[in-house]
Amino acid sequence: MSVGEDRYESFATAVEDPYFGALLGTIDEPGGAFTANRAGLATIEWWDAHGTGPTCAELIDAVFEIDDWDATIVDPGRTAFERREQLELLHRWLISYWTRVGTISFIPGHDDIVRPGRIEITTDAGRAEAE
C-alpha cells in the first residue's frame, strides 16, 4: 500500500505542502475508506498473531509497508529534523482519522496499544481485502 497522492479538487490550499498532500491523498474517498479498513484489518491480524494490538508505529508500518518515507514524500525544503516532525504529525493524523471513522480504537495517553474497531465493507476493494 502506498501513501495517497495529493490530487484533491474540492478546495485549494494557499501553500502546497508534501505532507499535507499525502494526508489528503490518503484519506480522500474512495481510497480513504479502503485505507481505513486496511488499518482495522491489520490491527485484527496483528492481534491474532501476537495476542495484543500493534503500537501506532507498528500499525503505520503494517498498513503502508514503506521503508523510506523521505523517498516517498519528497520535501527538500525542510531539514531532516523537520521532515521527521512532519512525518510524526502525518502518522498521528492518520491514527486519529482511523479512530474517528471507527476502524481502530486508540486513546492517546491511555496506553500504546491500538485495538480493533469496526470494519465496514462498503466497496469492492474492501470486500476483496476482507476475504
Side-chain angles (χ1 to χ4, degrees):
M1 168 135 316
S2 64
V3 173
E5 297 178 19
D6 59 353
R7 295 182 189 161
Y8 40 90
E9 298 177 9
S10 57
F11 63 92
T13 58
V15 177
E16 191 170 318
D17 183 276
Y19 291 90
F20 187 57
L23 174 65
L24 290 176
T26 303
I27 66 175
D28 191 30
E29 294 304 333
F34 177 80
T35 305
N37 279 338
R38 176 69 194 122
L41 291 170
T43 302
I44 292 168
E45 291 167 4
W46 191 284
W47 204 278
D48 290 344
H50 302 283
T52 187
T55 64
C56 293
E58 290 167 333
L59 179 59
I60 293 289
D61 288 345
V63 171
F64 293 108
E65 300 174 355
I66 295 174
D67 292 327
D68 185 3
W69 283 92
D70 287 333
T72 303
I73 303 174
V74 179
D75 190 3
R78 288 191 171 107
T79 65
F81 178 76
E82 291 170 328
R83 288 193 306 270
R84 291 287 73 79
E85 286 182 324
Q86 290 299 109
L87 185 58
E88 288 175 19
L89 180 61
L90 170 66
H91 291 173
R92 286 193 308 266
W93 271 98
L94 287 171
I95 295 293
S96 176
Y97 172 72
W98 296 334
T99 300
R100 196 180 84 240
V101 298
T103 61
I104 65 168
S105 178
F106 179 73
I107 303 171
H110 176 67
D111 64 17
D112 295 334
I113 302 300
V114 179
R115 290 168 174 76
R118 69 183 187 286
I119 305 296
E120 294 183 16
I121 300 174
T122 58
T123 65
D124 289 335
R127 277 190 207 98
E129 184 69 27
E131 294 175 349

